[in-house]
Amino acid sequence: MRSIVNYGLAILMIVSISGCVARAETETETNGICETVEQGIRLHVDGTYGGYPHSVLRDAVLESVACPSGDAELRAFHTIAIPPPHMRIAVMRPIGQGQQGSLSIMLFSQGHFVIGERMSLSPFSRTQSPFSVKADINLATARLWGDLANRIAQGKRAIP
């Protein structure tokens, strides 16, 4: 009886550890975005969205990121483009209808923080599937590129 309990406990631990490893591998995955601009950007998606699988949230984020466009934004991006910068987008929305949520975007270049945006999710994004957050992500990333372009236009350094 004792050996059955010991083997059962060992098997349970192995199963739970392998589940944690599989989840960690999924959450650290990066994707290439904006690949038509310089060498592109490496994107990492973090967070949870009301109990939906992380892959659904990642797909929604990938479909909604605004890339730098316009002369000023492209000039600003060029100052941090080599090696390709890294963007981290975190979406947090607790489980439950109408719960508050937030969105955080951080841009890194050469291992240094460049610029970020943070905002609350819109009322529409708080009540729907992860794909409803696409407009919020698009707005926040467009603001990020505009803020970076303004910083460069004012003669400030791209990496503070």
Side-chain angles (χ1 to χ4, degrees), residues 99-143:
Q99 293 292 318
Q100 293 287 340
S102 64
L103 168 65
S104 172
I105 301 173
M106 296 181 290
L107 183 65
F108 299 89
S109 179
Q110 301 170 13
H112 300 282
F113 175 77
V114 176
I115 196 165
E117 292 287 326
R118 182 167 169 78
M119 63 184 266
S120 295
L121 295 178
S122 65
F124 179 70
S125 296
R126 294 181 207 150
T127 61
Q128 304 297 318
S129 77
F131 287 94
S132 65
V133 79
K134 291 168 70 172
D136 291 345
I137 293 168
N138 189 274
L139 174 64
T141 51
R143 285 181 184 169

Side-chain angles (χ1 to χ4, degrees), residues 5-49:
V5 171
N6 285 339
Y7 286 117
L9 185 58
I11 291 171
L12 180 62
M13 288 176 55
I14 290 170
V15 169
S16 69
I17 288 172
S18 63
C20 292
V21 169
R23 180 182 166 123
E25 288 173 359
T26 301
E27 292 179 356
T28 60
E29 182 180 327
T30 60
N31 298 92
I33 58 168
C34 303
E35 294 182 352
T36 59
V37 182
E38 300 279 340
Q39 295 178 7
I41 301 169
R42 299 302 305 159
L43 174 68
H44 176 81
V45 179
D46 244 349
T48 60
Y49 194 94

